[in-house]
Amino acid sequence: MDSADTPDRQPAPTPEEDHRLTAEELAFLLRDPAERARDAERAARSNRNRTERRASDPDYAERLRAGDRERQRRRRMRDAIGRPEPQEVPAVPLPDLSEAQAAERLATHLDRSASAQAAQLRRQPDRIRLYAEAFVAYRTLSSAGARPTRGALATLLKSRFGRSLTPSQIQKLRDHVEGFAMPGGPWEAAAPPVRRRGAAKADMRRHASQAGKA
């Protein structure tokens, strides 16, 4: 057969060619060890400086955390491409209470509790007010039946109550609201109205006084 009729064939690569290093790999291996050591020292020094500044500068630390959150958000968005939309988590039902009524129920619940956490919260009226505000925000946003997102809660708490909270604080607030709405809690949807012990004693004294006058 004429050699012109045979197809051209590339010679098989030799074992040496199969393991040929790329230009980047060669550049890395040929670098001066002293230069690699200097680069490692610069990186370590940069990390130390960043750690020290994070500890001494709250604004800088918050910027770093914000950058981390943004990178995580972008990574989640990339990972979510092509995935089906997650199902909405239903909201925990809450009773129809005003902010003041929600705070009153919570305060009454804490008065009746003997736990150390309740005793601590009783000494923090602003904390009780924050929980009541979170109750109102949660109930407002869950009117359609879906659990409010942290972002929506943060926005409403900021616009309506002037509260600026971090995502982790919003997460804890949402968990507390839902926890207080569990059976036996102060915000259980089916719970009957409750009155604080001080109010009940005042009523008893008033009734006794009226009976004495009669």
Side-chain angles (χ1 to χ4, degrees):
M1 180 181 294
D2 191 348
S3 61
D5 295 334
T6 60
D8 293 337
R9 293 183 179 178
Q10 296 293 334
T14 64
E16 291 78 7
E17 290 175 330
D18 275 343
H19 296 85
R20 183 177 297 171
L21 297 174
T22 65
E24 291 80 5
E25 291 170 333
L26 281 172
F28 176 79
L29 292 175
L30 294 176
R31 287 179 64 194
D32 181 8
E35 183 182 354
R36 292 202 298 268
R38 287 193 296 271
D39 287 346
E41 175 58 28
R42 279 195 296 269
R45 185 166 56 250
S46 177
N47 287 335
R48 286 195 301 270
N49 292 339
R50 185 163 54 248
T51 300
E52 292 171 359
R53 185 177 176 187
R54 183 197 292 263
S56 61
D57 188 343
D59 292 337
Y60 176 73
E62 180 56 33
R63 287 197 299 273
L64 289 180
R65 286 192 292 268
D68 290 340
R69 289 194 295 268
E70 178 62 19
R71 284 189 291 273
Q72 292 171 5
R73 185 186 68 83
R74 291 178 180 177
R75 183 168 60 251
R76 287 194 298 268
M77 290 179 63
R78 288 195 302 268
D79 294 342
I81 294 176
R83 293 182 181 176
E85 288 291 328
Q87 293 184 350
E88 288 187 342
V89 178
V92 172
L94 296 175
D96 184 8
L97 301 174
S98 66
E99 179 189 341
Q101 290 170 330
E104 177 71 12
R105 276 203 186 185
L106 178 55
T108 300
H109 177 79
L110 296 175
D111 283 346
R112 296 176 175 178
S113 175
S115 70
Q117 182 183 17
Q120 183 179 9
L121 284 176
R122 283 197 295 268
R123 297 191 295 269
Q124 302 180 53
D126 185 65
R127 195 73 180 172
I128 295 175
R129 185 164 58 251
L130 173 60
Y131 286 144
E133 292 168 356
F135 169 94
V136 172
Y138 188 107
R139 191 171 185 277
T140 300
L141 294 169
S142 63
S143 58
R147 187 192 199 199
T149 64
R150 289 181 302 178
L153 280 171
T155 300
L156 186 54
L157 285 168
K158 173 66 174 178
S159 63
R160 186 164 178 176
F161 301 106
R163 301 277 189 176
S164 297
L165 303 171
T166 65
S168 62
Q169 290 173 325
I170 292 292
Q171 175 70 53
K172 291 178 181 178
L173 265 183
R174 185 174 65 178
D175 291 344
H176 280 301
V177 170
E178 294 174 343
F180 288 139
M182 292 294 102
W187 296 336
E188 181 184 359
V194 294
R195 305 189 68 184
R196 301 188 71 174
R197 287 182 295 183
K201 291 180 179 178
D203 284 347
M204 292 175 63
R205 288 194 297 268
R206 184 168 59 254
H207 291 322
S209 175
Q210 291 174 352
K213 291 178 181 179

